[in-house]
Every structure is written in structure tokens, then in C-alpha cells.
Amino acid sequence: QVQLVESGGGLVQPGGSLGLSCAASGSIFNIGAMGWYRQAPGKQREMVAIITRGGSVNYADAVKGRFTVSRDNAKNTVYLQMNSLKSEDTAVYFCNAVRYGVHYWGKGTLVTVSA
């Protein structure tokens, strides 16, 4: 089992920045891709950004150029730096990790972009 704990959510004004982090614990050997998904009220969960163990990244079109995903394999931690935030970025952000084909999820952290 892999446990994921997110931190860093909160309220930010449009145009502002916020950083999220997610630490993995438990059976962390051979964790593969890690990343972030989000779910806005009344919408389905969607991929935001994914990073492989080797550092290859993939972003949703809606966040390209504004968000940056990174990871520290030694700390088993994945980060999401969010800049130029928009109201439509408001959502619960979930950390995700894949290990031997099994997806693990954090409980989520709320990001609210509002004036």
C-alpha cells in the first residue's frame, strides 16, 4: 500500500500563485509515475500534470505554461507549482501515484481561486 498526503491548498486571488506538495509513504519502492488530478464542483476528475520517475512530464492543455510539476525521488514527493491562477482552476486537487499498475490517491486538497 502507498499512502499519499497532500499539502499546500488554500485561497488565492486570480493571477496569484500557489504550491502543492504530496509525500508518499508505505510501500514506496518502485513507485512509477506520480502526478496531480483535480475535480471541480459538478465535474469529473481530470488529469492536471503527470511526471514519470525519469522526469518526463505531461500537462493538461488548460494548465500548460502556468503549472509546473516536479518530483524528488529521494523524498518520494511530488510538487505542483501553480502560477497565473484563474477562477476555473478552483477544484480539489488529488495526488496520484502508480505502483505496479495500481493507482493510489491522496484525500485531496482544496484550491480556491477567488477575489
Side-chain angles (χ1 to χ4, degrees):
Q1 290 286 341
V2 176
Q3 292 81 46
L4 301 171
V5 178
E6 304 101 336
S7 61
L11 174 65
V12 62
Q13 292 186 343
S17 298
L18 200 62
L20 305 180
S21 62
C22 170
S25 62
S27 300
I28 57 177
F29 181 73
N30 268 353
I31 286 179
M34 297 183 74
W36 296 90
Y37 290 69
R38 68 186 181 187
Q39 187 167 16
K43 295 189 176 181
Q44 290 188 331
R45 190 174 298 189
E46 62 178 3
M47 186 274 290
V48 175
I50 297 173
I51 182 167
T52 68
R53 191 170 186 85
S56 296
V57 298
N58 186 32
Y59 294 98
D61 288 343
V63 307
K64 282 180 181 177
R66 301 189 297 122
F67 290 12
T68 301
V69 64
S70 61
R71 68 188 282 175
D72 184 331
N73 290 331
K75 295 182 179 180
N76 296 295
T77 300
V78 63
Y79 306 93
L80 185 68
Q81 178 62 39
M82 304 181 290
N83 299 326
S84 303
L85 281 159
K86 306 175 182 179
S87 58
E88 50 262 46
D89 294 318
T90 295
V92 177
Y93 284 70
F94 296 90
C95 179
N96 172 268
V98 182
R99 181 175 183 270
Y100 296 124
V102 177
H103 285 256
Y104 296 90
W105 297 92
K107 293 182 178 181
T109 185
L110 178 63
V111 173
T112 303
V113 184
S114 175

